């Protein structure tokens, strides 16, 4: 597995954990509630049984955290008949990660971001997930930077 593919998988692990623990992207007033960025800081300091988080994993999680409101708005717009809450959590995490790569990371070609998302979905989600994710990300890539206005 290539270094960036491994980094995406590790970022997906953090995003999925944050989703499962209902951690928001930003601190609440007073900063008492745990956040995605707090979880990221914990995983950087204590990666558990795995090696340290790759820098690209950190970049992905920080990017998703920074833009999660817009990413979720875009995903909600393009997911006909499915609310974000109704999607499998792993699919939400894959879609957030990949949408960030497509819209906010110019270093990754859209086709690569989509292909990597499909590989993650094939390995970690349901049989119905890859076609759904492919359709969503294809439409997002089609509109690209127009979605950021």
């Amino acid at each position: 597995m290539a270094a960036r593919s491994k980094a995406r998988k590790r970022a997906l692990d953090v995003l999925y954990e944050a989703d499962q623990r209902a951690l928001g992207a930003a601190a609440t007033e007073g900063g008492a509630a745990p956040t995605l960025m707090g979880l990221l800081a914990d995983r950087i300091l204590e990666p558990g049984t795995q090696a340290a988080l790759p820098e690209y994993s950190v970049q992905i999680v920080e990017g998703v955290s920074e833009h999660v409101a817009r990413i979720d708005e875009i995903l909600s717009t393009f997911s006909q008949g499915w609310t974000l809450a109704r999607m499998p959590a792993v699919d939400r995490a894959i879609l957030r990660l990949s949408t960030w790569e497509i819209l906010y990371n110019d270093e990754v070609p859209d086709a690569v971001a989509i292909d990597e998302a499909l590989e993650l979905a094939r390995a970690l989600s349901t049989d119905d997930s890859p076609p759904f994710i492919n359709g969503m990300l294809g439409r997002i890539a089609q509109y690209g930077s127009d979605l950021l206005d």
Side-chain angles (χ1 to χ4, degrees):
M1 184 181 278
R4 279 227 165 155
S5 296
K6 288 180 184 178
R8 281 181 188 91
K9 170 63 173 83
R10 295 289 302 281
L12 178 65
D13 292 343
V14 174
L15 294 171
Y16 177 80
E17 181 180 354
D19 188 89
Q20 291 301 114
R21 293 175 58 191
L23 302 180
T28 58
E29 191 170 314
T35 66
L36 173 57
M37 292 306 293
L39 176 63
L40 176 61
D42 290 348
R43 293 300 161 262
I44 290 171
L45 291 174
E46 296 182 36
T49 59
Q50 298 182 356
L53 275 177
E55 180 56 36
Y56 190 57
S57 297
V58 173
Q59 185 181 351
I60 291 169
V61 174
E62 289 175 342
V64 170
S65 178
E66 180 180 347
H67 300 287
V68 71
R70 181 64 183 143
I71 289 169
D72 283 357
E73 182 182 340
I74 291 166
L75 293 175
S76 294
T77 299
F78 284 98
S79 63
Q80 297 176 347
W82 286 85
T83 63
L84 281 176
R86 190 173 169 213
M87 291 177 198
V90 70
D91 291 2
R92 271 193 309 272
I94 292 169
L95 285 165
R96 286 174 176 150
L97 183 160
S98 303
T99 299
W100 176 81
E101 281 191 314
I102 291 167
L103 298 177
Y104 297 99
N105 188 352
D106 295 333
E107 295 176 14
V108 177
D110 294 351
V112 171
I114 294 169
D115 186 58
E116 290 286 331
L118 295 177
E119 287 302 314
L120 288 168
R122 283 185 200 104
L124 301 171
S125 197
T126 70
D127 290 342
D128 295 331
S129 294
F132 175 73
I133 288 171
N134 187 45
M136 291 270 297
L137 295 177
R139 291 197 60 215
I140 290 167
Q142 179 183 358
Y143 289 98
S145 62
D146 291 344
L147 296 172
L148 300 177
D149 296 333

